[in-house]
Structure formats: C-alpha cells, structure tokens
C-alpha cells in the first residue's frame, strides 16, 4: 500500500484473498462468472453489499429471503445481516425499534478476540452471530443449548438484488 502511494499510479491487483483485497484497495470489483457484481470502496462492499452473491462472497453474512425475510423484515426481498450487527441477550430487550427473535445456541466457536455462534430459531432458520470476547464473567458467550434472544437494528438489514440461490 505504501509503494502504491509513493509511486502514484494506478495498480490493478487480482487476488482471491478477501483480506488483501479489502486492505490493499481503494476500490474493489467482485466478479461472478466473468460478470461484475459490484464495484465499490472496501467498506461499502462489506457493509452495503448490492447483491445476494456479494453478500455471501465477501466475509460472512446471514442472507435471508422469501418467507424468512417476510417474517423478519416485512418483505420477501432478500437482505443481508452481518453477524457482528446481531446482539444476544438472555431476555428480550425492551427496545421496540429493533428486530428480536428467540432461539437456541447450536454451536460456539472460540476465535480469540471473538466467538462465532450459530443459533437456531423455532422455524429452523440458522443465524450466525459474532460476539466480542471481553474480559469478565458477565461477558461470557452463551453455551450450546442455551436459549437466548438475538436482536439488531432494522438499519442493519441491507436489501439485496438477486436470487437466493
């Protein structure tokens, strides 16, 4: 990145490594079968994917469509929900502006600074949730078998173009 800045010319960098693409680039193009799905800044590409393919390809995302999207968003249009935008609580939060669903913890994977949690809702939908591993007993992630509530802001649901395939 330093060399790019010093030389002051445009670089075209082709990689399959998402971390490299997001950290080395000012703009990223995501291709699908030789067709450009989205060209954007790394941040916008990650936070605001335009299509189902980009949401699934860049990082980890919960992509919901059809009946599942209808239940949670009020529309069957596909949407993306990043795992780090979901919060877990032992009791349903009082915040009526957020979406809240109850479910059971199916898997917890410790990743150092964070844990990846898979949660199954009553209708069988699985959500992936990412929680920070903070210090202290009160911040322990839930365990497999625990019943919890997942909640997130409506703004965290990013509408997508494309089919849920």
């Amino acid at each position: 990145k330093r060399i790019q800045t010093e030389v002051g010319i445009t670089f075209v960098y082709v990689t399959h490594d998402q971390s490299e693409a997001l950290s080395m680039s000012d703009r990223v193009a995501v291709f699908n079968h030789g067709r450009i799905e989205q060209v954007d800044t790394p941040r916008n590409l990650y936070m605001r994917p335009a299509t189902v393919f980009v949401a699934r390809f860049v990082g980890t995302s919960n992509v919901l469509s059809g009946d599942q999207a209808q239940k949670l968003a009020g529309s069957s249009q596909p949407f993306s929900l990043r795992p780090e935008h979901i919060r877990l609580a032992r009791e349903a939060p009082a915040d009526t502006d957020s979406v809240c669903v109850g479910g059971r913890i199916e898997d917890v994977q410790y990743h150092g600074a964070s844990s990846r949690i898979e949660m199954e809702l009553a209708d069988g939908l699985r959500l992936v949730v990412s929680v920070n591993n903070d210090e202290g007993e009160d911040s322990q992630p839930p365990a497999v078998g625990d019943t919890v509530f997942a909640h997130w802001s409506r703004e965290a649901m990013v509408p997508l173009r494309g089919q849920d395939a």
Side-chain angles (χ1 to χ4, degrees), residues 64 67-75 79-81 85-89 91-103 119 121 123 125 127 129 148-158:
L64 294 93
D67 290 342
Q68 295 169 336
Q70 184 70 42
K71 288 177 192 174
L72 297 174
S75 168
F79 70 87
S80 169
L81 176 63
H85 293 148
I86 302 171
R87 301 289 174 255
L88 296 179
E91 297 179 19
D95 179 12
T96 57
D97 291 335
S98 66
V99 176
C100 181
V101 293
M119 176 181 176
L121 308 184
D123 63 2
L125 172 65
L127 290 178
V129 181
V148 298
F149 291 90
H151 59 99
W152 59 86
S153 72
R154 294 192 182 279
E155 291 79 31
M157 298 184 295
V158 178

